[in-house]
Amino acid sequence: MDTAPSPSSPSPASAPTAPAPSDRHRRRVATAAALASAVEWYDYFVFGIAAALVLGDLYFPAGSASAGVLAAFATFAVGFLARPIGGVIAGQLGDKRGRKPMLVLALTLMGVATAGIGLLPTYETIGVAAPLLLVLLRVLQGIAVGAQWGGAMLMATEYAPEGKRGLYGSLVQLGVPIGVVTANTVFLVAGSVTSDATFASWGWRVPFLVGFLVLGLAWYIHARVEETPAFKEAERALADKEKGESRSPLREIFRHHLGTVFLAGGSFAVNTATFYIIITGVLDYATRELDMERSAVLMVSLCVSLTQLVLIPASAALSDRVGRLRVYALGAVGLLVWAVPMFLLIDTKSLLWLAVGTFVTSCFLSIMYGPQAALFAELFTAEMRYTGASLGYQIAAVFGGGLAPFVMVLLLEATGTSMAVSGYIIGLAVIALVSIRILASRAASR
């Protein structure tokens, strides 16, 4: 039987007995966690943009453009399949050894893997070794981001003052739109200062080489940020128990909380799938199928992502007042209702209507994404929170985000209509609403 605390109230195990951190230190930790999230997601997203624009031709030469794009998106999806591995490894160690060291390790791994992609020779240069190494580096990216999210999220939420856990958690969630905006901006700049041939030759590599900068942030967190009070308190409480037995957060999750993990994943899959559809799948669809200009579509994606910088913390702050699940469910309903109108607008081939369609979608994504970090943190007690929250998030990432651009191309090829993609989003939204309903029922019964 699941014994996790109510999603609408802080976990009793998370309440620190040590003196409260100063406001200055809280802000330092929250800023560091937000920056860690932003640079990790930047490194992760540059691959998705490159997969839509150039990687298919450079690393997967094939007889048709669609086949190359499918191969590139399959490699994109491989990173998502690796994310639960990072979540499990970092979750186990993060719940036993601390949030901070796992976050530092994740940042370091991401920086090395992303820069490695920027330096990787193409198929034309080293043959089949090129796509194999590309897949390997993408796997390392997936492990890194799977490890990072839980660490950054818990650094923020476990340092949050009373009544502001949603708002503090949303600062980490802001890493996603900041990563998208930064990745799109760097690609836009690289494309504007190079010709098409030069961009395909080496210009696309520049955004990946920026990945080296993440190593500086990893050092800063290692040197200047302390472990969270909630982990210290949980560590003290479990110290005597661990003398007599080996504690395994993962075993505890599998024995008593696996249902909560799957409900968390089911509730979030529609969000992550729709997100990757509008930033990666639509980029490919609009440029390859609708013959829209690459730079214009990138600019729309950039501008739409900017709106999330306001909406994500606003929805998180609202969840601190009216409850996580109410706000979360509102976003899921919006995605269900808007799935068809969004693609009807995109199919007009008008840049304006493309912007309107993806903007409204982005609003509903933000409404869900804002409270999500705090919601997932509150589903589990402190001694298993890194593992449980990470697994729920990464399950959604695998079955939602990782497969979404690939599934979108397959659906378009098989049916010839974007309404099939709308149906895919609607199906995931129904799963989300059912999962949210069950989570709410469990919370009400406690």
Side-chain angles (χ1 to χ4, degrees):
M1 178 178 177
D2 196 312
T3 58
S6 167
S8 61
S9 60
S11 163
S14 69
T17 59
S22 67
D23 289 342
R24 180 180 180 182
H25 190 67
R26 290 185 198 272
R27 289 192 293 268
R28 177 193 295 174
V29 173
T31 301
L35 287 174
S37 178
V39 296
E40 281 270 313
W41 287 115
Y42 164 83
D43 285 357
Y44 200 67
F45 289 146
V46 292
F47 192 100
I49 297 172
L53 298 178
V54 295
L55 294 185
D57 292 334
L58 296 176
Y59 290 92
F60 305 97
S64 71
S66 295
V69 170
L70 279 170
F73 279 160
T75 306
F76 176 74
V78 164
F80 286 81
L81 295 175
R83 282 170 59 168
I85 298 174
V88 168
I89 295 173
Q92 282 278 93
L93 295 175
D95 281 330
K96 297 178 73 172
R97 306 302 177 203
R99 296 23 172 149
K100 187 180 84 169
M102 291 303 100
L103 181 57
V104 171
L105 180 61
L107 289 168
T108 303
L109 180 60
M110 179 62 86
V112 171
T114 304
I117 294 172
L119 298 171
L120 185 64
T122 63
Y123 185 94
E124 184 179 5
T125 304
I126 61 173
V128 71
L132 292 177
L133 288 172
L134 183 66
V135 170
L136 174 61
L137 291 169
R138 182 59 177 170
V139 167
L140 294 179
Q141 277 194 321
I143 292 173
V145 83
Q148 172 273 145
W149 182 80
M153 178 270 290
L154 292 179
M155 291 294 288
T157 58
E158 290 184 346
Y159 262 106
E162 185 69 24
K164 293 187 177 180
R165 182 178 283 176
L167 181 60
Y168 270 61
S170 73
L171 299 179
V172 173
Q173 307 296 73
L174 287 177
V176 171
I178 291 172
V180 172
V181 168
T182 309
N184 278 281
T185 299
V186 174
F187 266 101
L188 281 169
V189 171
S192 66
V193 299
T194 61
S195 64
D196 288 345
T198 304
F199 180 82
S201 176
W202 61 265
W204 66 271
R205 297 181 182 274
V206 174
F208 287 93
L209 296 177
V210 174
F212 274 125
L213 298 179
V214 75
L215 300 179
L217 180 60
W219 175 86
Y220 175 84
I221 293 175
H222 172 73
R224 301 294 302 276
V225 174
E226 296 181 8
E227 189 54 76
T228 71
F231 175 77
K232 291 178 181 179
E233 180 66 21
E235 190 177 39
R236 285 192 293 269
L238 290 165
D240 293 336
K241 182 179 179 181
E242 285 194 332
K243 290 178 182 178
E245 61 181 80
S246 176
R247 183 173 69 92
S248 171
L250 184 62
R251 184 167 60 243
E252 181 71 11
I253 289 291
F254 280 152
R255 285 180 177 177
H256 304 292
H257 304 278
L258 194 58
T260 300
V261 168
F262 282 115
L263 287 171
S267 74
F268 191 61
V270 65
N271 186 287
T272 187
T274 307
F275 174 77
Y276 283 102
I277 283 172
I278 68 170
I279 71 158
T280 300
V282 168
L283 176 59
D284 167 65
Y285 177 62
T287 55
R288 184 169 57 86
E289 298 286 347
L290 304 182
D291 294 322
M292 300 179 73
E293 186 182 355
R294 179 186 67 200
S295 61
V297 177
L298 281 171
M299 183 60 72
V300 167
S301 180
L302 186 154
C303 293
V304 166
S305 296
L306 285 172
T307 64
Q308 294 184 314
L309 299 178
V310 176
L311 292 171
I312 286 175
S315 65
L318 180 63
S319 78
D320 283 329
R321 298 174 63 87
V322 305
R324 315 278 181 233
L325 290 173
R326 288 182 181 179
V327 178
Y328 199 61
L330 176 62
V333 170
L335 292 176
L336 185 151
V337 172
W338 189 248
V340 170
M342 177 181 72
F343 272 102
L344 290 177
L345 293 174
I346 292 172
D347 286 343
T348 65
K349 303 183 182 181
S350 162
L351 198 63
L352 173 62
W353 291 121
L354 169 69
V356 171
T358 54
F359 167 74
V360 175
T361 302
S362 179
C363 291
F364 292 126
L365 291 174
S366 299
I367 290 171
M368 284 191 76
Y369 201 56
Q372 185 251 344
L375 171 63
F376 278 30
E378 291 168 357
L379 290 173
F380 306 94
T381 53
E383 64 271 15
M384 66 185 74
R385 185 173 289 152
Y386 201 138
T387 303
S390 293
L391 275 177
Y393 188 98
Q394 304 313 333
I395 285 173
V398 170
F399 294 103
L403 295 176
F406 185 80
V407 169
M408 179 175 173
V409 174
L410 285 179
L411 289 173
L412 290 170
E413 290 289 311
T415 66
T417 173
S418 61
M419 291 298 100
V421 185
S422 296
Y424 172 58
I425 294 173
I426 290 170
L428 291 176
V430 170
I431 293 172
L433 290 170
V434 171
S435 299
I436 292 168
R437 177 60 181 167
I438 296 173
L439 287 172
S441 297
R442 289 185 174 188
S445 66
R446 294 190 183 98

